[in-house]
Amino acid sequence: MKKLINIKNIYFGLIVTLLISSCGKDFLEVEPKGTSLEDNYYTNEFEAYSGLVAVYDVIGKQSRGFENMIILMNSGSDDHYAGGGSSADGSQLQAFSNYTISESNMAVSYWSDFYQGIFRANTLLTKLPEVEMDEDTKKRFTAETKALRAIYYFELVRMFKNIPLITSPLATDEIYTVLQANPNDVYAQIETDLTEAIPDLPSTLNIETEGGRLTQGAAKALLGKVYLFEGKNDEAANQLAEVNGTPGETSPYGYKLLDNFSDLWSISNIYNTESIIEVAHTDQSNADWGNWGWGNDEGNSLNVMVGPRGFVRSNGSSSPDYATGWGFGIITQSLYDALDGDPRFDDTIANIGAFATAGEVEYDESFQNTGYFLKKFMPLNSDVSTGGGASALNYKQHTYMIRLADTYLMEAEALGGTGARAQALLDAVRARVGLPSTPVSIDAILNERRLELAGEGHRWYDLVRTGRAATVLANKGFVAGKNEILPIPLVELENTLLEQNPEY
């Protein structure tokens, strides 16, 4: 899906009025217009497009802001500790990492940001039918908006399970009387949004002008993933097979595994053939601390968060010239041991502790330090923005929400981890990094997902989805029947009819 068209600085507040904020001049142009009454807005294609931009913008939560999805989900898995400067640094990350997470330390943005995206989508879907614009373009805008709403509901129902299902704008007096829906109804709405969206999405994009927009392949990949989480394996396999095509070859949608695993992490290699859903970032948004976390910063915060604290190279050091960071997302010994000897190790883990022992670098140890850092997202000094704003908030590395190796392994799992096609899908992922075939099984597939997708935010969901979390995460404090979902933030419960999740 690749966030929308290299967007910089756009955010919308749509409770009573609609505020239009300007974008960077080299990208999408939306001139400041002050405020307009919502009833008087969305009168033409330009205004509808700016509303679509606002719906897309929420996807940046994957890797934007301190409270981003990747760093949170990594923290709860067996592959990472929260890290940071101390046991109190990033309280929600620490609490998820050691399973003391509660309604009082669950950051509200993981709930409210996605509902903000849903609110924007509902508003745009209500307005689009009356907008004077080309009908084919209107169908595409509608399809993109529905698919984005599906993404945001999928994030919410996976995290919290018991959530309100809202498909139209609410009046102010309705906000505090909303009830939670049956999770099955939420999944049904996600399926409906995606199946209705797919026919009106383009099969390909002009990356120069549209890089970041949703395609049919992206929506099908997401629908396949949704089916897999629901346990609808046949439906999942069918959708994912259309996305994947013949394992190892170019799929009907133009997807193909990159020849070199390392190329996935080259900052300049954006919108490549393996990328299915990609979140764009820029180093040109000029975001400063006043923008951070409010949705109008467009940099990749994950980069600075996983960099080693106080990192300094010695003269003549052979260590990469990493930019200093905040030391979150520390790699556990368990993941180190799992990847040790694997061809993907050097692109996944940076052993800063070994460089320090050799006297080549100095750094400040993070909380629960192991010396191992997530190299996929660690920035070099050459990546530091030289533009305006705070350099720490203006990293430009894109992040993948779904990539082809992920969908290969999801399809293999949906096939039951057996048969010639499942074997071919698993083999293709391994062959790309020079590994021999290994007999396909669910265990082999899940192990391959751990090694291939390490640090990309998938591991915790894989453990929960397959019923393995209680065993694998027992040493971190995971409680079966409770920690498969997160607590609803306290502020969302106050003066509402929402009920807290069981056991919290």
Side-chain angles (χ1 to χ4, degrees):
M1 159 222 32
K2 310 173 179 176
K3 192 176 176 241
L4 178 61
I5 333 165
N6 299 320
I7 300 166
K8 308 174 179 179
N9 288 345
I10 259 199
Y11 69 100
F12 282 58
L14 279 170
I15 297 178
V16 179
T17 62
L18 180 66
L19 173 64
I20 304 301
S21 176
S22 66
C23 291
K25 293 183 179 180
D26 293 337
F27 296 78
L28 176 63
E29 294 285 349
V30 181
E31 295 299 326
K33 295 182 182 295
T35 58
S36 307
L37 287 176
E38 183 187 327
D39 289 344
N40 298 328
Y41 207 69
Y42 300 117
T43 59
N44 55 49
E45 181 176 333
F46 175 85
E47 292 177 349
Y49 186 54
S50 64
L52 180 61
V53 169
V55 182
Y56 265 104
D57 196 58
V58 176
I59 204 69
K61 189 165 184 66
Q62 292 302 307
S63 39
R64 185 177 65 199
F66 187 85
E67 293 168 359
N68 64 74
M69 290 300 299
I70 293 176
I71 202 72
L72 176 72
M73 290 303 151
N74 284 353
S75 295
S77 79
D78 57 327
D79 290 345
H80 301 267
Y81 298 121
S86 70
S87 61
D89 193 3
S91 59
Q92 75 277 5
L93 302 179
Q94 306 294 344
F96 190 33
S97 186
N98 61 29
Y99 289 93
T100 59
I101 192 79
S102 70
E103 63 182 24
S104 60
N105 57 30
M106 180 71 210
V108 69
S109 73
Y110 294 106
W111 176 283
S112 62
D113 283 5
F114 291 119
Y115 271 113
Q116 183 181 62
I118 290 164
F119 175 82
R120 295 174 182 179
N122 289 341
T123 300
L124 184 57
L125 289 171
T126 300
K127 300 295 183 180
L128 273 172
E130 304 303 320
V131 177
E132 296 183 3
M133 59 188 292
D134 174 78
E135 285 302 314
D136 287 340
T137 303
K138 185 185 293 189
K139 287 180 180 179
R140 181 181 180 185
F141 283 16
T142 301
E144 288 175 282
T145 305
K146 287 182 177 180
L148 288 164
R149 183 170 67 179
I151 289 170
Y152 303 149
Y153 267 125
F154 188 45
E155 294 285 25
L156 285 165
V157 76
R158 287 193 299 166
M159 273 195 291
F160 301 106
K161 187 178 180 179
N162 301 298
I163 63 172
L165 178 59
I166 304 167
T167 57
S168 60
L170 294 177
T172 303
D173 60 357
E174 296 177 297
I175 294 173
Y176 299 103
T177 60
V178 173
L179 299 174
Q180 286 142 301
N182 185 315
N184 291 332
D185 293 337
V186 178
Y187 273 106
Q189 182 62 51
I190 293 169
E191 290 181 23
T192 296
D193 276 345
L194 290 172
T195 53
E196 290 180 354
I198 287 168
D200 293 323
L201 291 170
S203 57
T204 59
L205 297 174
N206 181 338
I207 295 301
E208 291 298 318
T209 59
E210 297 186 315
R213 297 181 73 167
L214 282 165
T215 62
Q216 288 184 10
K220 282 180 174 288
L222 181 63
L223 181 56
K225 185 171 184 175
V226 169
Y227 283 142
L228 186 65
F229 272 72
E230 292 184 274
K232 298 180 177 180
N233 286 359
D234 289 344
E235 294 93 332
N238 290 337
Q239 288 293 327
L240 293 166
E242 293 185 33
V243 175
N244 293 334
T246 302
E249 299 182 11
T250 301
S251 82
Y253 289 103
Y255 303 126
K256 188 178 188 300
L257 293 176
L258 296 182
D259 291 338
N260 298 310
F261 183 78
S262 298
D263 292 343
L264 285 163
W265 317 111
S266 170
I267 288 179
S268 61
N269 193 22
I270 62 175
Y271 305 134
N272 57 65
T273 61
E274 189 164 339
S275 176
I276 298 175
I277 298 183
E278 181 173 320
V279 178
H281 295 286
T282 178
D283 61 355
Q284 300 297 310
S285 72
N286 298 327
D288 219 324
W289 297 108
N291 308 108
W292 197 44
W294 289 96
N296 60 334
D297 56 320
E298 297 294 339
N300 182 339
S301 301
L302 181 62
N303 287 155
V304 70
M305 290 184 75
V306 301
R309 300 167 58 85
F311 182 85
V312 179
R313 290 200 306 171
S314 303
N315 290 334
S317 172
S318 61
S319 163
D321 189 19
Y322 294 120
T324 189
W326 301 342
F328 287 97
I330 297 300
I331 299 288
T332 63
Q333 188 67 48
S334 174
L335 179 60
Y336 181 99
D337 292 343
L339 271 166
D340 193 16
D342 188 279
R344 291 162 288 204
F345 181 98
D346 288 339
D347 292 299
T348 304
I349 296 177
N351 190 346
I352 301 300
F355 282 115
T357 299
E360 296 200 24
V361 306
E362 295 180 1
Y363 76 107
D364 299 329
E365 294 188 355
S366 294
F367 176 60
Q368 294 182 300
N369 185 66
T370 60
Y372 312 137
F373 291 79
L374 181 55
K375 187 176 179 181
K376 287 179 177 178
F377 304 115
M378 278 177 56
L380 299 170
N381 274 313
S382 57
D383 301 325
V384 176
S385 171
T386 57
S391 59
L393 308 184
N394 287 281
Y395 284 102
K396 65 181 180 180
Q397 184 179 7
H398 291 198
T399 49
Y400 306 104
M401 183 179 277
I402 299 180
R403 58 184 177 87
L404 193 60
D406 182 11
T407 58
Y408 273 22
L409 295 171
M410 284 194 289
E411 185 191 345
E413 181 184 339
L415 290 168
T418 186
R421 181 165 174 87
Q423 183 72 65
L425 289 160
L426 176 61
D427 286 350
V429 174
R430 292 175 59 82
R432 189 259 295 275
V433 294
L435 289 173
S437 176
T438 191
V440 70
S441 66
I442 293 296
D443 285 345
I445 292 164
L446 292 176
N447 183 64
E448 202 66 34
R449 286 185 63 80
R450 184 186 191 190
L451 304 181
E452 172 74 22
L453 302 170
E456 297 177 51
H458 301 289
R459 174 67 173 175
W460 187 81
Y461 281 125
D462 284 349
L463 293 173
V464 170
R465 175 172 51 78
T466 58
R468 302 177 180 215
T471 299
V472 175
L473 299 173
N475 66 332
K476 294 187 82 174
F478 187 100
V479 176
K482 173 183 179 179
N483 294 129
E484 290 86 357
I485 54 177
L486 297 175
I488 298 170
L490 178 62
V491 69
E492 296 296 336
L493 300 172
E494 295 174 339
N495 301 314
T496 72
L497 300 181
L498 302 182
E499 296 182 4
Q500 183 55 273
N501 282 327
E503 306 301 324
Y504 284 105

